[in-house]
Amino acid sequence: MKTATWILDQPYAANRTWGVMALGSLVFAVLTAAGAAVSIPLPFSPVPITLQTLAVILAGAVLGPVWGPVSQLAYITAGVSGLPVFAEGAAGPQVLFGPTGGYLAGFVIGAWVSGLIVRPGASWPRLVLGLLAAHAAIFVLGLAQLKLYTGNSVPVALQLGLWPFLPGTLLKTVVAAAAIKSKRLNWFRS
């Protein structure tokens, strides 16, 4: 009898083909770009409010810890290649070295974390924990680069890149959890 661990307790889309999962990754890359189009600049911060992290955490939860990060790598590749898919219509490799570049790197890790923890049929606590852990990964990398880029102290970096985003983070977590629990998004990992 196979013993399941808390993190790796379900097979990953055993009945889904490589092509279907690649298509799912493309869909979530596009959804992340669409989330960047909803961008609200903050006058006191170089980091705008967007809907991107909603797509990121859903990518991992829906596609799993392999294809979720692939979707975010596809999104970042499109932006680095010159397509204006980053927040506020930005594009090019220089964005990766700017104040929001750490958040972009965090998208890949966040999708991976979400994919590891959120499983088909997960309980509400596990689902919420996985989605919040994914957000935390995004914030850790984002804040680290923001602090380096601005040269500010940790408290100032938190004021610029975390505190204003927490209400939206909680709302996106609730929306993602409700969408996952509705079973409308479980097609890829059923």
Side-chain angles (χ1 to χ4, degrees), residues 94-136:
Q94 74 280 0
V95 176
L96 296 179
F97 303 104
T100 60
Y103 294 94
L104 294 172
F107 289 0
V108 178
I109 304 302
W112 178 71
V113 168
S114 177
L116 279 178
I117 299 174
V118 176
R119 315 306 294 160
S123 66
W124 276 101
R126 181 174 177 165
L127 178 58
V128 170
L129 174 69
L131 299 174
L132 288 174
H135 272 116

Side-chain angles (χ1 to χ4, degrees), residues 157-173:
L158 292 172
Q159 288 175 335
L160 296 175
L162 176 65
W163 304 133
F165 302 95
L166 287 182
T169 296
L170 295 175
L171 180 61
K172 290 179 224 177
T173 300

Side-chain angles (χ1 to χ4, degrees), residues 25-108:
S25 292
L26 179 62
V27 166
F28 276 98
V30 170
L31 288 174
T32 305
V38 179
S39 180
I40 303 168
L42 298 175
F44 57 87
S45 175
V47 182
I49 295 172
T50 70
L51 290 179
Q52 292 170 289
T53 58
L54 176 60
V56 172
I57 64 174
L58 283 171
V62 171
L63 299 174
V66 174
W67 290 99
V70 166
S71 73
Q72 298 312 299
L73 287 170
Y75 164 71
I76 292 168
T77 300
V80 168
S81 298
L83 293 175
V85 296
F86 294 141
E88 300 177 327
Q94 74 280 0
V95 176
L96 296 179
F97 303 104
T100 60
Y103 294 94
L104 294 172
F107 289 0
V108 178

